[in-house]
Amino acid sequence: MEGHRSLPPRRAVERVDGVEREVLVVGYEGATLTDIAGPVDVFDGANRAGAAYRVRLAAVGGGFAVGGGLRMEAEDLRDVSGGVDTVVVAGGFGFADVARDAELLHHLRRVAADARRVTSVCTGAFLLAAAGLLDGARATTHWAYCDRLATDHPSVEVVPDAIYVRDGRLATSAGVTAGIDLALALVERDHDAALARLVARWMVVFLQRPGGQSQFSVRARVPPVREPGLRAVLDAVADDPAAGWTVEEMARRAAMSPRHFARVFPSRVGVPPARYVERVRVEAAAGVLESGDEGLDVVARRSGFGTAETMRRAFLRVLGVTPGGYRHRFRTSGVA
């Protein structure tokens, strides 16, 4: 497969292993279109490269409208019975209401019972959790909702920085386009990296993108804190990451002694003060790298690192990629 330069027409390929795998994508009113279309396009691309996936879209009652108002044709989930290999549950902004739909949860548990694997995209994890399918499992969801997933479903071990998480036959992914990452990982697991890489290349995406969800947020992912002084410090660092944020200065702003602050901060925020400051600075530097052409030394000074080498080490720790590599992969296209 590695030698192919493009995906051939579907009729021109020989099946990789002769095994047809049925993929059931579960949608509902207000589901996110990309959560559905992304994985479907991956499986379709895999079919054109020699795989054999049969993709079905189902929802309770049949057709439904996705976010934005487009109408999707779908079969009735109530009529779906055995033979499903992989269940993919889409996310959507109305997930909280959908997760209380007893009929949907019943049929989700039913089709999941005999499936080889059960997966979700974005906030679809809340539906799996509400159905009891994630009890005792590791899982992830969109970074903006990881804290809520952990609070609403304490039996789930939430992994907040992962693009996707596999735990046995369960697999959950982060927000929106992470469904593509997850589907590519499933294709690679079913076949091989060469086939998955071919599909990824055709779709112009990474087979495995660098970094985790931390590249998309810092302050928004901090657990809620009650202390006004501590909240003020978090906001001040996010507003001015280049300032000289020592423990002493942060403690002064929080109206705490440095010793007490150093003890309270990690218990409330989840990381030590220096680590939080580093992550905020990485996020600030990443924004500059995405949108400008300044040299790395300038970016480092503007974001509070001081030197390009200090910034490089921080990027590798937080994102797993160098600042130059990040700029190459994530900067804006510049097309108006």
Side-chain angles (χ1 to χ4, degrees):
M1 299 304 300
E2 189 69 4
H4 288 282
R5 290 294 177 265
S6 62
L7 294 173
R10 190 185 306 274
R11 62 180 179 278
V13 301
E14 294 182 5
R15 292 302 179 201
V16 173
D17 57 14
V19 177
E20 184 177 68
R21 297 173 174 85
E22 186 167 287
V23 178
L24 180 70
V25 180
V26 178
Y28 45 85
E29 289 291 323
T32 300
L33 178 59
T34 309
D35 288 8
I36 298 169
V40 169
D41 278 348
V42 170
F43 293 121
D44 179 65
N47 284 345
R48 295 178 186 278
Y53 292 100
R54 180 185 175 218
V55 181
R56 303 164 65 184
L57 177 62
V60 173
F64 61 96
V66 295
L70 295 178
R71 190 78 186 169
M72 306 291 290
E73 292 186 4
E75 57 187 293
D76 195 332
L77 183 61
R78 294 172 291 200
D79 297 331
V80 175
S81 55
V84 175
D85 177 84
T86 302
V87 177
V88 180
V89 180
F93 286 105
F95 67 88
D97 292 332
V98 177
R100 291 192 290 268
D101 186 330
E103 185 175 19
L104 172 58
L105 298 182
H106 165 73
H107 290 291
L108 185 55
R109 284 189 290 266
R110 181 177 58 80
V111 297
D114 298 323
R116 180 167 66 98
R117 59 193 174 197
V118 180
T119 73
S120 66
V121 183
C122 196
T123 54
F126 282 83
L127 276 66
L128 295 185
L133 297 171
L134 295 183
D135 288 350
R138 299 170 67 250
T140 194
T141 186
H142 191 289
W143 60 262
Y145 299 105
C146 283
D147 291 338
R148 179 169 178 175
L149 182 62
T151 300
D152 290 355
H153 301 280
S155 64
V156 180
E157 181 184 344
V158 179
V159 184
D161 193 39
I163 298 298
Y164 59 83
V165 172
R166 277 201 301 256
D167 190 341
R169 74 184 190 111
L170 301 170
T172 52
S173 62
V176 197
T177 58
I180 296 174
D181 300 76
L182 174 60
L184 287 168
L186 298 179
V187 169
E188 179 178 2
R189 196 171 184 85
D190 290 341
H191 299 287
D192 55 37
L195 191 149
R197 189 176 300 113
L198 174 62
V199 177
R201 183 182 301 122
W202 181 258
M203 295 181 70
V204 200
V205 297
F206 290 111
L207 177 58
Q208 183 176 0
R209 74 172 86 182
Q213 292 199 73
S214 58
Q215 63 189 288
F216 302 110
S217 165
V218 176
R219 179 65 180 94
R221 288 181 54 242
V222 171
V225 294
R226 295 187 300 272
E227 296 86 348
L230 196 53
R231 288 201 304 270
V233 169
L234 295 174
D235 292 338
V237 174
D239 289 341
D240 188 9
W245 294 113
T246 63
V247 169
E248 290 73 19
E249 173 58 22
M250 297 168 76
R252 185 188 65 78
R253 290 203 176 217
M256 299 178 185
S257 70
R259 184 176 180 179
H260 182 60
F261 178 83
R263 185 171 60 252
V264 169
F265 192 97
S267 69
R268 301 292 192 271
V269 180
V271 295
R275 184 65 59 84
Y276 174 75
V277 172
E278 179 182 69
R279 290 181 178 179
V280 171
R281 287 173 174 170
V282 166
E283 182 176 72
V288 177
L289 292 169
E290 290 169 5
S291 59
D293 296 314
E294 292 92 341
L296 296 183
D297 286 330
V298 174
V299 175
R301 289 194 299 273
R302 285 182 56 186
S303 52
F305 287 112
T307 69
E309 177 57 24
T310 301
M311 182 173 71
R312 187 187 73 83
R313 291 196 299 266
F315 263 67
L316 288 172
R317 278 192 297 269
V318 176
L319 300 182
V321 63
T322 65
Y326 184 93
R327 168 174 271 167
H328 177 70
R329 290 165 173 161
F330 293 104
R331 69 167 297 155
T332 56
S333 65
V335 177

